[in-house]
Amino acid sequence: MASKLTAFKESFQVLKNRVFATLYFAESISLLGDAFTWVGLALLSYQFGKEKSAIILATALTLRVTAFIIFSPFAGVLADRIPRKMILYTTHFIRMAIVACLPFIHQEWQIYALVFSLNVFNAFFTPTYRAVIPQVVDHIHYRQAVGLSTATFQILGVLGPGLAGILAIWFGARQIFFIDAGSFVLAAVLILMLPASKLQHTVKKNEKTFTAWHDAIKGVRLLFKNPLIRFALFIEFVSAIAGVSDTGEYRGPYQKRPTFRR
């Protein structure tokens, strides 16, 4: 028992790193806001009509995953060419603006447009955040940092919808989007407090051409060339299909998961 308690305490040692701790809390706040987004969207779609709510949510989730598939490969390319700190706080402020528009929508197409736009910037934020972790923690604590981030992701995926539901009862289904927008602002402020030099060792500025598409294709080839990574991707693909079949949502571990449950 003592050894388990010691191991549990050691998993939080990485938070002594001020830069990682700030990033971690910014990401946690962002994940909590994501719960507000999807619970709010579920309630909002219900307001459009009971018979339409399932179709609206299914379409919104499809657009969410589509945005990740299209734009995520380019996130890593940009993260090596422009300051990562700028990517992190810019995507937060833009997502804040998009979420703040959600209380004012009155047509279905507006939901689809805003959800797709929101997840375009999610697709740039999440890979950049993952790429920053090895830059701010040493090799010894890297596993702890990833483990703590993943555990928090799972916990907030369970607790976040409950908190969002309580706030929706108190403030209203549309009003929780303003709370969601506020969470993005708070997370962005935390990121602005970080030194840019700690988040990125080098930035490529003297490239002859900006071959983002070429670099993205090269990254995909490198992934599938490694047999171990290829096997892991296959397992993740099977898991994602099973998750969609079971709960109607995407359940990939490297992306924020929608927190709505049917």
Side-chain angles (χ1 to χ4, degrees), residues 4 32 44-45 60 88 109 143 154 202 223-224 237 255:
K4 292 182 179 179
L32 190 60
L44 195 61
S45 63
L88 294 176
W109 71 266
R143 185 174 62 178
Q154 300 291 343
T202 59
L223 280 176
F224 285 94
F237 177 72
Q255 300 173 3

Side-chain angles (χ1 to χ4, degrees), residues 187-217:
V189 170
L190 289 175
I191 294 172
L192 284 172
M193 296 168 57
L194 296 173
S197 59
K198 294 289 186 180
L199 305 184
Q200 189 161 11
H201 291 167
T202 59
V203 179
K204 298 178 181 178
K205 295 182 179 179
N206 298 320
E207 297 288 338
K208 294 182 179 180
T209 56
F210 188 81
T211 55
W213 178 255
H214 176 269
D215 289 348
I217 295 297

Side-chain angles (χ1 to χ4, degrees), residues 29-30 32-34 36-37 91-104 118 174-189:
I29 294 170
S30 180
L32 190 60
D34 191 55
F36 294 166
T37 299
T91 53
H92 267 83
F93 282 123
I94 294 176
R95 288 185 293 170
M96 176 274 296
I98 294 173
V99 169
C101 294
L102 287 171
F104 305 104
L118 179 66
R174 291 178 180 265
Q175 283 67 30
I176 65 172
F177 290 117
F178 293 118
I179 302 175
D180 187 8
S183 71
F184 282 117
V185 174
L186 181 57
V189 170

